[in-house]
Amino acid sequence: MAFFQNSSVFRLTNWELMFNQWLLLHSLSEMGAVDLGREWSCMTIKQLSFGNTIFPLLVACLTFTSGCSGDTSATNAGGTTGKRVIRIAIGTQDQTINTVTGGAVIREEKLLEKYLPKTGKYQNVEYQIEWSSYTSAPPITNKMLANQIDIGNMADFPATINLTTFQKKGNGVKTILISSLAYSPNGAGNAVVVPTDTPYKKLVDLKGKTISVPFGTSAHGMLLTALKNEGIDAEKDVTLVSQSPEVGGTSLRSRQIDAHADFVPYGELFPFRGFARKIYDGAQTGNPTFHGVTVRSDFAKENPEIVVAYLRAMLEANQQFREQPEALSAKLEKWTGVEKEIFYMFLGPSGIQKLDPRIQPYQITALKNSVITLKRIGKLDASANPDDVASWTDDSYLQQAMKESNISEQDVANLADTVIGGKDALTQEAIQEPKLAAQIWVAGDDNVLSFASIKNMLTKLQQLKSEGKTVSVAFVHDRDKGWKLFAQNSFYVRSGEQVSAFLLEKDAQAAASKAGATVASFQELQQLYALKSPSQALAVTR
């Protein structure tokens, strides 16, 4: 029996069940039986427990108020109370971790309701809040065009499509990027994965193979850039097909495709669930990526105070994550069906992504790169100018939200740069170098254990083994970049008593050559630090 907990069989099957339910609703909408844009006012993931199995079920909450009848509009007179009704329709992506502080956390914790204005022109108002969640951004853009969504959460690549589409087809209405949600300065989060038992180790091994990716997403942009960087012709050397994350995961398991490229969190989630292995990380492109908030200009002009209220809710959601990362990760697992360990990996201290609402040069560069890539593949015409992207943004709403919440620029920066600290769970020494730190999450525990070194973490793992405890995940950090990594999937170099981890084998080999050492696997390290004998090494699955 593996020492590390493995629930991938139940988890993925349940996800497929959830997706089938979504497909049913979508089919009904195509037949006109249900209008997902107007009547699917909220989507939450509920869980039913039967024995030791957790089944996430998709629950569609249908509303039929005057604000949803006929042509959807932001403001309607009347309503059941005689008050003026203001619809606030927000489209998010629950399973896309970068959007949760702009979506799931605000929705489930009722943070928007906390900050909505109730005086002045909003004194006699009834708010009709409509939430909808999607597996990727293109449907959000379509519904924003149809005036069925006012505020949309999406990544840089689809945001570029969103912003430029409105410029062409918005009939005088534009969309504005008003905030970032989470970002990576180097592209971490996007990834290419393959089935675990296939021989592919790098992108060049995929020549002549079939790769699926959700078209029109940040992962699509990453894949095109990565293939080009590796000298692979995306049109001649590989076959690209469009598949959503759920379909891509199923196709990987059934070997219908050779590889799948996707955005946050699937490059880590699929390996965590045990059926995929990452062979390319978006960080290798060196191109920044982010998810952010777009809003229809007519809605923002008519209701600027509501836009500010939404951003204040987002700022509080960010604060909650920084103060209680484990607790909020556990809640998000219940709300979204994505395991808490993955949320913590991305948004916890020293996480893969930075929670930062500011529109910085990273975000502008990401938008510019998206324009360039979209033009290269013929999805944008020659009139699209990368140098114009800054004019598509407006951070005045965010600045007002920060002012009203008494949050300074430095406060935001400090929250974004949260790294592992505190005391070592084994030795009580201070954790001074986050890149050398390690963590474990014991199954059933509320909090993650942090260690100043990988050596101390390995020693603690042996103690937990002797106590009969189960560990759900172990984390280490890339020695050069500081990225949070699964311990099981990393490469290690031991120099004296210091152990360093690396995402890429080539980086580990370079460090080993410099130190006169060799590259080791996690299993080999466990054997080295086993208390009694190598035979007692832990069988780690992730």
Side-chain angles (χ1 to χ4, degrees), residues 300-312:
K301 182 178 180 180
E302 179 69 21
N303 304 289
E305 297 88 353
I306 294 176
V307 175
V308 169
Y310 168 81
L311 292 175
R312 291 188 69 188

Side-chain angles (χ1 to χ4, degrees), residues 29 32-42 61-73 87 89 128-132 134 143 146-149:
S29 74
V34 174
D35 186 333
L36 296 183
R38 292 179 307 204
E39 298 168 352
W40 192 11
S41 64
C42 66
C61 305
L62 307 183
T63 61
F64 300 90
T65 68
S66 60
C68 286
S69 60
D71 291 333
T72 304
S73 59
R87 183 205 70 186
Q128 180 178 302
I129 304 174
E130 299 176 9
W131 288 95
S132 56
Y134 307 86
K143 291 191 178 294
N147 196 22
Q148 295 174 355
I149 289 178

Side-chain angles (χ1 to χ4, degrees), residues 46-94:
K46 303 295 183 183
Q47 294 186 333
L48 302 180
S49 297
F50 298 95
N52 294 323
T53 306
I54 299 176
F55 293 88
L57 300 177
L58 185 67
V59 180
C61 305
L62 307 183
T63 61
F64 300 90
T65 68
S66 60
C68 286
S69 60
D71 291 333
T72 304
S73 59
T75 306
N76 291 286
T80 57
T81 63
K83 296 182 178 181
R84 182 168 65 97
V85 176
I86 297 180
R87 183 205 70 186
I88 309 170
I90 305 169
T92 188
Q93 303 172 63
D94 276 359

Side-chain angles (χ1 to χ4, degrees), residues 343-415:
F343 279 105
Y344 186 88
M345 183 179 195
F346 276 92
L347 301 181
S350 296
I352 296 173
Q353 302 285 319
K354 294 177 179 288
L355 280 173
D356 192 333
R358 296 173 297 173
I359 300 175
Q360 304 174 84
Y362 295 118
Q363 285 76 17
I364 299 301
T365 298
L367 292 175
K368 287 183 176 181
N369 290 341
S370 298
V371 171
I372 293 169
T373 301
L374 287 166
K375 290 178 70 173
R376 178 165 62 86
I377 63 175
K379 299 301 182 183
L380 286 181
D381 60 35
S383 65
N385 186 349
D387 293 331
D388 291 340
V389 299
S391 67
W392 306 345
T393 71
D394 182 355
D395 70 350
S396 63
Y397 301 96
L398 177 62
Q399 294 299 323
Q400 182 63 28
M402 292 168 58
K403 179 180 179 181
E404 292 183 16
S405 293
N406 196 28
I407 296 175
S408 69
E409 193 90 6
Q410 190 59 51
D411 292 334
V412 171
N414 291 341
L415 283 174

